[in-house]
């Protein structure tokens, strides 16, 4: 079997993989390979033809393909290698990647560092256990988006959407613009999982109703969807009898959550978070396997691609630093001598990324990203160093659909040499 040798192998050629590769090159590592299973770079952005991308990164509003193109052009200008239509089959803990494509067959790549940037996939209908037949006309929102924006096909003319994630909201508007009638968007939670701006621009502006605490309880039709019944649910998610409403439709779109693509991560032995389903990482975005880094939606689902690029650049920079230590035959940082601080999410905060911090390895300022578990109004985001509160910032509203962050300064953490944990929570006063 043919064997190749690279300093850094990046699995995934979407926005995260591209940004990581560019930043690693800037840090002086030249032998970089991006592996992408699709026929082109850019990932999911190629089908996101709506605007709203790039406001943080480029200070202007771009469509998804335009945003991706800027990174793709830089990758090509800098002659960073990439392989398309190539599937990663296996990665070993000692960083040997087995991949295959139709041109080269099966081959191995030996890497000094690996960056996981595989993105995420949509949760399928099978995970929902909706009663009824399995007729044509049921699509994930992302599949429908690809049909309309890339393939040029209309999935249907009368549409019901289950789930109010950002893709579902955007597809409500997209289907309407293409002439379809979107009857309703049903959301099982008491709040929308999408950005507030998408609710306004994609539903409110087009008069599309959003029914919170509702779900699909039955699908009618054998050959093709003929209609769906939705019902209100109680706090446990159980349908409430007598609240059923029937909508005729020929299409049901599912926007019921995203799951990080971590099958390969499991093979390496990377420790995964029970909350995000992505790897647990330290301040360098390094996973539990030394030399294996993670960024973008494979780590945790982001709401803005600008944050994906920012995070991926950090992963690329840290992977390059790791490679340089390996090249100099230095032992990678002695884990036993490291002062590791645990980040604890509680009282409304569902998770943090990273999950641990080593002050010796921090940048001067460290961003901690997190999401809350419900909609909260007039709460304080508080940060505690052990039992001492060091940050107390009032927020008029926080919601699960919008990622939150706090910034910690290295100089502040170093003032607490015995610090064992940092707690992030929501408080009423």
């Amino acid at each position: 079997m043919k064997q190749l040798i690279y300093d850094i192998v990046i699995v995934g050629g979407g926005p995260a993989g591209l940004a990581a590769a560019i930043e690693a090159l800037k840090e002086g590592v030249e032998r970089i390979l991006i592996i992408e299973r699709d026929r082109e770079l850019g990932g999911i952005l190629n089908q996101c033809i709506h605007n709203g991308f790039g406001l943080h990164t480029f200070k202007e509003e771009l469509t998804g393909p335009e945003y991706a193109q800027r990174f793709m052009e830089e990758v090509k200008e800098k002659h960073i290698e990439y392989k398309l239509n190539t599937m990663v089959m296996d990665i070993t803990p000692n960083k040997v990647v087995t991949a295959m494509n139709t041109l080269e067959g099966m081959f191995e790549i030996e890497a000094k560092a690996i960056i996981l940037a595989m993105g995420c996939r949509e949760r399928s209908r099978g995970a929902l256990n909706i009663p009824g037949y399995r007729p044509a006309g049921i699509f994930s929102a992302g599949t429908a988006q690809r049909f309309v924006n890339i393939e040029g096909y209309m999935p249907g003319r009368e549409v019901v959407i289950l789930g109010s994630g950002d893709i579902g909201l955007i597809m409500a508007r997209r289907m309407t613009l293409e002439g379809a009638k979107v009857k309703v968007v049903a959301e099982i939670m008491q709040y929308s999982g999408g950005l507030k701006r998408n609710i306004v621009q994609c539903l409110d502006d087009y008069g599309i109703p959003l029914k919170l605490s509702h779900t699909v309880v039955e699908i009618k039709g054998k050959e093709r969807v003929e209609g769906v019944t939705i019902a209100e649910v109680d706090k446990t998610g159980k349908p409430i009898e007598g609240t059923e409403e029937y909508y005729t439709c020929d299409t049901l779109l599912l926007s019921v959550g995203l799951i990080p693509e971590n099958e390969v991560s499991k093979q390496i032995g990377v420790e995964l978070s029970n909350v995000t389903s992505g790897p647990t990482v330290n301040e360098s975005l390094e996973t539990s396997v030394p030399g294996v880094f993670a960024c973008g939606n494979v780590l945790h689902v982001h709401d803005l691609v600008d944050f994906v690029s920012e995070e991926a650049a950090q992963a690329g920079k840290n992977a390059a630093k790791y490679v340089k230590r390996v090249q100099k035959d230095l032992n990678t940082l002695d884990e036993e001598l490291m002062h590791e601080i645990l980040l604890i999410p509680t009282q409304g905060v569902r998770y943090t990324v990273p999950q641990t911090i080593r002050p010796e390895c921090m940048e001067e300022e460290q961003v901690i990203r997190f999401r809350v578990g419900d909609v909260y109004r007039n709460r304080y985001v508080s940060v505690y160093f052990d039992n001492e509160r060091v940050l107390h910032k009032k927020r008029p509203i926080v919601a699960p659909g919008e990622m939150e962050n706090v910034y910690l300064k290295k100089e502040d953490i170093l003032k607490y040499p015995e610090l064992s944990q940092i707690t992030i929570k929501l408080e009423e006063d």
Side-chain angles (χ1 to χ4, degrees), residues 57 69 81 131 177 184 258 323 335 387 393 426:
T57 307
Q69 188 65 30
E81 289 185 57
L177 292 174
V184 68
L258 300 169
V323 168
E335 302 291 336
N387 295 317
K393 182 172 66 173
L426 298 182

Side-chain angles (χ1 to χ4, degrees), residues 68-97:
Q69 188 65 30
R70 298 205 177 181
F71 285 91
M72 288 157 62
E73 286 173 357
E74 192 168 356
V75 162
K76 291 170 184 176
E77 285 169 7
K78 296 181 183 300
H79 304 291
I80 296 173
E81 289 185 57
Y82 58 89
K83 291 181 182 291
L84 301 177
N85 297 305
T86 302
M87 181 69 74
V88 171
M89 309 302 293
D90 182 54
I91 303 176
T92 66
N94 59 347
K95 296 181 280 295
V96 175
V97 181

Side-chain angles (χ1 to χ4, degrees), residues 88-162:
V88 171
M89 309 302 293
D90 182 54
I91 303 176
T92 66
N94 59 347
K95 296 181 280 295
V96 175
V97 181
T98 302
M100 68 176 295
N101 58 41
T102 54
L103 295 177
E104 300 166 278
M106 191 90 75
F107 56 94
E108 287 185 345
I109 306 164
E110 189 179 318
K112 293 185 176 73
I114 290 170
I115 300 176
L116 304 173
M118 296 88 74
C120 57
R121 66 176 184 269
E122 293 179 278
R123 187 174 277 110
S124 67
R125 179 205 169 169
L128 303 179
N129 297 320
I130 302 172
Y133 291 97
R134 300 292 183 265
I138 303 173
F139 304 91
S140 70
T143 299
Q145 187 181 56
R146 184 175 182 90
F147 278 159
V148 175
N149 294 347
I150 293 183
E151 309 296 342
Y153 297 116
M154 271 294 282
R157 292 292 172 185
E158 289 189 299
V159 184
V160 169
I161 298 176
L162 175 60

Side-chain angles (χ1 to χ4, degrees), residues 150-301:
I150 293 183
E151 309 296 342
Y153 297 116
M154 271 294 282
R157 292 292 172 185
E158 289 189 299
V159 184
V160 169
I161 298 176
L162 175 60
S164 61
D166 287 313
I167 305 174
L169 298 175
I170 287 162
M171 281 310 294
R173 177 179 62 184
R174 189 78 184 99
M175 295 294 285
T176 301
L177 292 174
E178 288 298 328
K181 172 65 177 174
V182 179
K183 300 286 188 73
V184 68
V185 176
E187 169 59 59
I188 194 169
M189 304 300 288
Q190 299 173 40
Y191 52 81
S192 169
L195 293 168
K196 178 65 176 175
R197 74 181 191 198
N198 285 334
I199 297 172
V200 173
Q201 295 173 3
C202 301
L203 299 187
D204 296 350
D205 288 357
Y206 294 90
I208 300 169
L210 170 62
K211 297 211 166 195
L212 300 175
S213 299
H214 280 73
T215 191
V216 172
V217 293
E218 188 177 7
I219 300 170
K220 184 181 178 184
K222 289 188 178 181
E223 299 301 320
R224 175 85 193 195
V225 173
E226 297 173 8
V228 300
T229 301
I230 72 169
E232 190 175 351
V233 298
D234 60 24
K235 290 182 179 179
T236 66
K238 185 179 177 182
I240 301 171
E241 244 183 280
T243 62
E244 296 85 359
E245 296 175 76
Y246 180 74
Y247 291 87
T248 58
C249 63
D250 58 20
T251 304
L252 174 64
L253 300 188
L254 305 177
S255 178
V256 290
L258 300 169
I259 306 169
E261 287 270 21
N262 273 301
E263 282 65 35
V264 172
S265 309
K266 292 175 188 174
Q267 290 176 358
I268 313 172
V270 165
E271 179 184 317
L272 301 182
S273 162
N274 292 329
V275 181
T276 66
S277 298
T280 59
V281 293
N282 59 27
E283 75 300 319
S284 300
L285 300 177
E286 187 177 21
T287 70
S288 58
V289 178
V292 177
F293 299 78
C295 57
N297 282 350
V298 80
L299 179 56
H300 61 130
V301 177

Side-chain angles (χ1 to χ4, degrees), residues 34-49:
I34 302 170
I35 300 177
E36 171 55 50
R37 66 183 176 187
D38 209 343
R39 61 193 180 201
E40 57 201 359
L41 296 173
I44 197 68
L45 290 184
N46 292 319
Q47 67 188 52
C48 299
I49 65 172

